[in-house]
Amino acid sequence: MRPKKQTAYVSLCFMAVLGAGVANAETSDDSIPRLESASCATQALEDLNASCYTFYGQENWNAPNGNTIELPVGVIEPETENDADEESDPVVFFPGGPGYSILGNADYIEQLRKDIGNRSLVVFDPRGFKHATPSLECPDYAAVSPYHNIIHTPALTASLDPMERMQHITSEVSDCYQKLEDEGIEIAQYTESATARDVEEIRSLLDYDNVNIFGSSTGSGTALSYVRYYPDSVRAAILGWPWYTSLRNRAPLDEFYTLKSKFTDVLAMCVEESEACREQIPAWFLAIDRARRALDDRPYIAQVESDGEQKTLYFDGAAFLDTLYLMLPQYYDELPRIVSQVPEGDYSSLHDFFMIDEYNPVTEAPNYAMGAFLAQACNDMGTNRPTPEDSIAAVQREPAIIGFEPIWLCAWWGVDGDVPPEHNDIVLAETPALAIHGQMDPCCGTRWSEALSDTMPNLQAIEMQAMGHSPVNECRTTVINEFLGDPLAQIDTSCQNEVPLAEWQLE
């Protein structure tokens, strides 16, 4: 449905419903907060006939200092108009990353529209994101970030010494912070809780009584912040493949060991289902560590071309675990073969496993504002942010966290985020919620919803077989539609195994 009435700062017209777009509102009012009609931030929003706005808010809501933020907002109406007596609360989407803008990705937005059915969809770039003002841009960080350069970042492959690898990334984190501070940005204000306030103001200016909220990955953490601080504004919450603050900000070493068990769980599935698998890896509980030790003793070394010259990439046991963490949905069926071969000195699978043919010396993250990634990852820790001594000790104990967990690098971020004291507590709410997980998602599996279940009694969860992070299948759309139709009803999870497991790859 469309916003229910005009405000002084929102210009609505029936031509927008017909796809003619929204004209820029002309107003001399510079009050904060306000929402003005504007040109769409991306071609994708224009093509989807979105009604586009700019939201103007305080950079620091609690202590305004003259700095303001501008956020692009798009409202996309359902393809068919609802009956006058049919209630259809809109859905506000919280993007993840953190820092990943979906506004230019028409396919992504169309999938969201399919998921939510005949409801209005509100999309926006949170504060600091690519199309926001200010945009927290730190492009040099993309060249070293394991999250964005995936496998071949120098933080994983430049050396066999973890301390040398670590230096490639820590200096860029410090430089990013200093760049943003020099630009006059009050960096501590770029947090989930501040974004929740932004969304509450946007909801009010659009004159929605309440909204459904849909978070993706770390965006689910922001969505939960919205539930925490503005529960009366939320009809229902969808936590897509959630990675939320209270667990995300655990000590990196503890978090890594928790996730590492996922790899062994995959091998346990193989031996349970296949007698041949059990014969091939009889000590499946030890198989991951044995493969890692073999690579620590004799790393896999590859030569690639970079700017016309040969470059050496080093892959040790830490790189092996990092690659599994990032790529498990693609590699889970091959894992039994790899952990059988590597301890025997057979590295024939590793060229493909480490994606050597996909090496690209030019690294970028075009949809990311890299400073927004660091700001939210680090600011939301509040006073839990580590010191350099904490992080150095953690990397010395477990080198694999360099590529796995961004929290350790927050020691080189220059400030604690301005977050409420309770921000990292588990959320306590009666809000109906649906958590969606992928079975092969090491990052954000069912343990996240299990942690919430005691304090959110109306939370339901589903795990999609064989799927990874951000699963896209018919079951996802089916359960979201069903849930939004009646958030307190028990959802039917019978479709969760619609994607079959791949055949296990054995010798």
Side-chain angles (χ1 to χ4, degrees):
M1 74 181 180
R2 297 201 58 76
K4 292 188 293 184
K5 65 181 180 183
Q6 291 184 333
T7 72
Y9 312 115
V10 183
S11 174
L12 303 175
C13 64
F14 290 108
M15 291 180 66
V17 179
L18 299 176
V22 178
N24 290 327
E26 294 184 4
T27 175
S28 60
D29 196 328
D30 59 357
S31 62
I32 300 293
R34 74 181 187 273
L35 193 68
E36 293 183 354
S37 296
S39 300
C40 291
T42 66
Q43 187 63 46
L45 290 178
E46 288 190 22
D47 293 344
L48 291 166
N49 295 321
S51 298
C52 294
Y53 310 95
T54 298
F55 169 74
Y56 297 84
Q58 299 288 357
E59 185 176 55
N60 187 332
W61 285 109
N62 296 322
N65 60 4
N67 288 353
T68 60
I69 59 166
E70 300 175 18
L71 309 182
V73 179
V75 180
I76 305 170
E77 303 299 342
E79 293 184 356
T80 59
E81 192 170 344
N82 290 295
D83 295 334
D85 61 347
E86 182 179 357
E87 183 177 357
S88 180
D89 296 301
V91 176
V92 178
F93 182 75
F94 291 75
Y100 179 81
S101 174
I102 69 162
L103 298 188
N105 191 332
D107 290 341
Y108 195 113
I109 297 173
E110 287 285 23
Q111 177 62 50
L112 295 176
R113 297 183 72 193
K114 179 181 177 182
D115 291 338
I116 68 172
N118 203 45
R119 294 174 174 82
S120 298
L121 174 66
V122 181
V123 294
F124 72 110
D125 260 10
R127 54 173 57 205
F129 278 43
K130 178 179 179 180
H131 300 287
T133 302
S135 177
L136 275 55
E137 298 284 355
C138 290
D140 291 345
Y141 175 66
V144 299
S145 169
Y147 267 54
H148 309 98
N149 193 18
I150 307 299
I151 304 302
H152 305 123
T153 172
L156 298 182
T157 63
S159 167
L160 293 173
D161 182 345
M163 295 296 104
E164 291 183 12
R165 296 200 298 261
M166 186 175 67
Q167 292 173 2
H168 284 278
I169 191 168
T170 57
S171 60
E172 293 295 349
V173 174
S174 296
D175 289 349
C176 175
Y177 179 85
Q178 190 60 53
K179 171 184 178 292
L180 299 177
E181 187 176 61
D182 291 345
E183 292 172 359
I185 295 169
E186 190 176 351
I187 302 169
Q189 300 305 316
Y190 290 78
T191 63
E192 287 180 351
S193 54
T195 295
R197 171 69 181 272
D198 299 339
V199 172
E200 178 64 1
E201 299 293 349
I202 292 169
R203 179 203 63 79
S204 178
L205 290 166
L206 288 173
D207 203 25
Y208 294 139
D209 292 334
N210 53 41
V211 292
N212 303 290
I213 57 177
F214 185 166
S216 169
S217 192
T218 54
S220 291
T222 314
L224 279 173
S225 293
Y226 190 65
V227 171
R228 181 197 301 278
Y229 302 118
Y230 306 101
D232 293 340
S233 298
V234 183
R235 173 180 178 264
I238 301 163
L239 308 178
W241 33 107
W243 204 31
Y244 55 80
T245 306
S246 55
L247 280 187
R248 185 174 83 233
N249 291 346
R250 290 167 55 194
L253 196 60
D254 297 337
E255 181 78 344
F256 178 80
Y257 286 134
T258 301
L259 294 187
K260 183 184 167 189
S261 66
K262 185 67 176 180
F263 310 147
T264 298
D265 291 344
V266 170
L267 296 177
M269 290 171 55
C270 181
V271 299
E272 181 180 2
E273 296 173 5
S274 167
E275 183 63 33
C277 187
R278 184 180 296 273
E279 292 176 358
Q280 184 166 314
I281 46 173
W284 66 94
F285 286 155
L286 304 173
I288 297 294
D289 285 325
R290 287 176 177 176
R292 178 183 187 170
R293 289 203 306 272
L295 282 164
D296 283 336
D297 292 341
R298 184 169 71 87
Y300 180 73
I301 299 175
Q303 297 292 323
V304 295
E305 186 172 310
S306 177
D307 298 326
E309 299 180 355
Q310 289 294 303
K311 180 178 180 179
T312 302
L313 303 180
Y314 302 92
F315 299 92
D316 59 5
F320 171 68
L321 295 179
D322 291 326
T323 303
L324 275 183
Y325 169 69
L326 293 165
M327 305 301 294
L328 185 65
Q330 288 77 19
Y331 288 145
Y332 73 87
D333 57 318
E334 300 178 41
L335 189 56
R337 183 183 70 238
I338 293 170
V339 298
S340 299
Q341 292 175 338
V342 169
E344 300 298 323
D346 181 353
Y347 286 11
S348 59
S349 298
L350 296 184
H351 181 93
D352 291 339
F353 178 77
F354 289 120
M355 298 185 289
I356 303 304
D357 291 339
E358 299 179 30
Y359 175 77
N360 183 354
V362 180
T363 59
E364 57 183 9
N367 292 318
Y368 273 90
M370 303 304 295
F373 171 85
L374 290 168
Q376 186 172 318
C378 300
N379 286 345
D380 283 331
M381 299 191 77
T383 57
N384 286 310
R385 195 166 57 90
T387 66
E389 291 77 17
D390 293 328
S391 292
I392 289 170
V395 171
Q396 287 173 333
R397 289 178 62 194
E398 178 45 82
I401 67 170
I402 292 179
F404 147 75
E405 173 59 69
I407 299 308
W408 71 270
L409 56 83
C410 294
W412 287 268
W413 192 243
V415 67
D416 295 341
D418 184 8
V419 298
E422 71 275 16
H423 184 67
N424 285 287
D425 297 344
I426 294 288
V427 174
L428 173 64
E430 299 286 333
T431 306
L434 170 66
I436 301 172
H437 306 280
Q439 182 187 30
M440 297 301 170
D441 182 0
C443 154
C444 307
T446 56
R447 66 197 179 91
W448 297 84
S449 51
E450 290 166 0
L452 279 177
S453 60
D454 289 340
T455 59
M456 292 188 68
N458 292 317
L459 172 72
Q460 302 183 66
I462 183 171
E463 182 182 59
M464 307 290 189
Q465 179 175 269
M467 304 298 288
H469 202 59
S470 190
V472 176
N473 59 1
E474 288 300 320
C475 186
R476 160 179 158 171
T477 298
T478 298
V479 297
I480 291 175
N481 266 278
E482 180 185 346
F483 171 73
L484 290 176
D486 186 354
L488 288 173
Q490 185 68 37
I491 61 168
D492 181 359
T493 61
S494 60
C495 66
Q496 66 184 10
N497 294 334
E498 73 175 20
V499 176
L501 287 166
E503 184 176 348
W504 299 107
Q505 301 298 306
L506 306 176
E507 290 181 339

